[in-house]
Amino acid sequence: MTSTSPRKPIKKAVFPVAGMGTRFLPATKAIPKEMLPIIDRPLIQYAVDEAREAGIEQLIFVTGRGKTAIVEHFDHAFELETTMTERAKSLEILEPTRIQPGNLVAVRQQVPLGLGHAIWCARAIVGDEPFAIFLPDELMIGKPGCMKQMVEAYNEVGGNLISVLEVPEDEVSSYGVIAPGERKGALTEVKGLVEKPKREDAPSNLIISGRYILQPEVMRVLEGQEKGAGGEIQLTDAMARMIGSQPFHAVTFAGKRYDCGSKTGFIEATLAIALQREDIADEVREIAKRLLAE
């Protein structure tokens, strides 16, 4: 199914960043998990950079108590910048953290009722516009970035899109899985969505991987959405109700995905990106060899 109505551009993105990060305690007791660094950039920075590459202009952070550091990261640091300037140090390293005034909005998710509820909390800012969603725990590395690939697909077919990745069949029970329809290159029509199915019940091995482009009607669906798995308001349930009434496609991401919501995934991402960086790759490779030989 392809939308024939005029397509509004994707200029807004929602970042649900209210989670408590309990899997990384005690590191996340006072520091938001989205501010944990992969080398020298916090997770949230990777997601924001991906959004900007895709042409997104307005960033909507759905935050919780104790998450002010995320917003402050994208603010001007007057004392730091003044000191660096006085010492003749370049401010170029801080350029990715600069946001145009008015282009960053923070709203509060007051109670932890799930991803669907977090997205619904941004409804007043999203308004009647299609929008992207980024789960910063899912670190997506590729050129072009995952969201840029999705925006290009959106410009072709419109409607709703989710990013997917192929995983071994014995891993599908840990993720949301799509029921696929017609496939055309990286695009797959979505016939249904199943949250964490048993291996034998999974309709495919294509898992939802933390990036979405949704039409504003999803907010109306979430408005009356009942609690689902885990006693939370699930975004997957709301999306499933929209299938058939609007175009719905999956984009198979041509790149690498790292699950930085887990400790091992976080370590994998750190090593993988370190080995891609010219300034430290050789030293990190030698360190790894030495540790493996011990």
Side-chain angles (χ1 to χ4, degrees):
M1 184 187 294
T2 302
S3 172
T4 57
S5 58
R7 292 169 199 137
K8 295 181 180 179
I10 308 300
K11 295 298 180 183
K12 297 180 179 182
V14 177
F15 300 78
V17 292
M20 294 182 287
T22 53
R23 283 187 286 181
F24 282 86
L25 286 171
T28 50
K29 180 181 178 181
I31 299 172
K33 65 176 180 177
E34 296 82 8
M35 289 301 296
L36 295 178
I38 302 292
I39 316 297
D40 50 12
R41 292 164 65 198
L43 272 174
I44 189 65
Q45 184 71 63
Y46 286 92
V48 166
D49 291 347
E50 183 187 328
R52 287 164 144 180
E53 180 199 19
I56 288 166
E57 297 173 356
Q58 188 169 42
L59 313 175
I60 306 165
F61 292 166
V62 181
T63 68
R65 286 177 289 279
K67 294 284 189 152
T68 56
I70 297 174
V71 175
E72 290 172 0
H73 176 73
F74 294 100
D75 198 357
H76 286 280
F78 178 77
E79 294 85 356
L80 173 63
E81 295 180 18
T82 299
T83 300
M84 291 177 67
T85 300
E86 290 173 348
R87 296 177 181 178
K89 292 183 179 291
S90 172
L91 299 181
E92 183 180 359
I93 192 69
L94 298 177
E95 195 58 36
T97 70
R98 300 182 187 278
I99 303 292
Q100 278 287 107
N103 283 4
L104 188 155
V105 180
V107 298
R108 182 67 69 91
Q109 183 185 24
Q110 296 173 324
V111 288
L113 291 178
L115 177 58
H117 179 261
I119 301 306
W120 179 78
C121 288
R123 66 197 181 282
I125 313 302
V126 167
D128 196 30
E129 303 287 333
F131 63 102
I133 300 172
F134 290 77
L135 305 188
D137 281 0
E138 302 279 348
L139 179 56
M140 312 292 271
I141 301 296
K143 291 184 180 180
C146 183
M147 186 52 66
K148 187 170 184 179
Q149 293 178 31
M150 293 181 68
V151 168
E152 290 171 355
Y154 169 81
N155 292 335
E156 179 184 343
V157 299
N160 303 277
L161 296 101
I162 52 180
S163 68
V164 295
L165 292 166
E166 291 190 46
V167 299
E169 290 184 1
D170 59 357
E171 296 181 13
V172 293
S173 59
S174 299
Y175 302 97
V177 179
I178 73 163
E182 182 181 353
R183 297 191 183 193
K184 182 181 178 182
L187 270 176
T188 302
E189 186 179 3
V190 177
K191 293 289 191 179
L193 298 168
V194 183
E195 186 66 31
K196 297 182 178 179
K198 294 180 180 178
R199 177 178 178 177
E200 59 271 21
D201 297 332
S204 73
N205 67 333
L206 292 172
I207 65 162
I208 304 170
S209 55
R211 300 291 185 271
Y212 312 74
I213 291 175
L214 298 179
Q215 296 299 313
E217 286 78 10
V218 74
M219 295 298 189
R220 262 71 82 192
V221 177
L222 288 167
E223 183 83 40
Q225 182 76 35
E226 295 181 358
K227 293 180 181 179
E232 297 181 335
I233 298 173
Q234 298 289 347
L235 180 62
T236 301
D237 294 341
M239 292 191 300
R241 291 172 61 187
M242 295 173 67
I243 295 171
S245 62
Q246 293 184 345
F248 220 113
H249 291 85
V251 180
T252 301
F253 173 46
K256 291 286 292 182
R257 167 248 188 198
Y258 301 98
D259 178 11
C260 291
S262 73
K263 295 173 185 177
T264 52
F266 192 91
I267 293 168
E268 181 186 11
T270 301
L271 287 172
I273 292 174
L275 291 170
Q276 294 172 16
R277 287 186 37 163
E278 294 182 0
D279 58 334
I280 59 175
D282 290 343
E283 290 180 74
V284 171
R285 190 171 288 108
E286 291 303 316
I287 291 169
K289 289 178 180 177
R290 186 173 70 248
L291 291 174
L292 288 171
E294 291 180 354

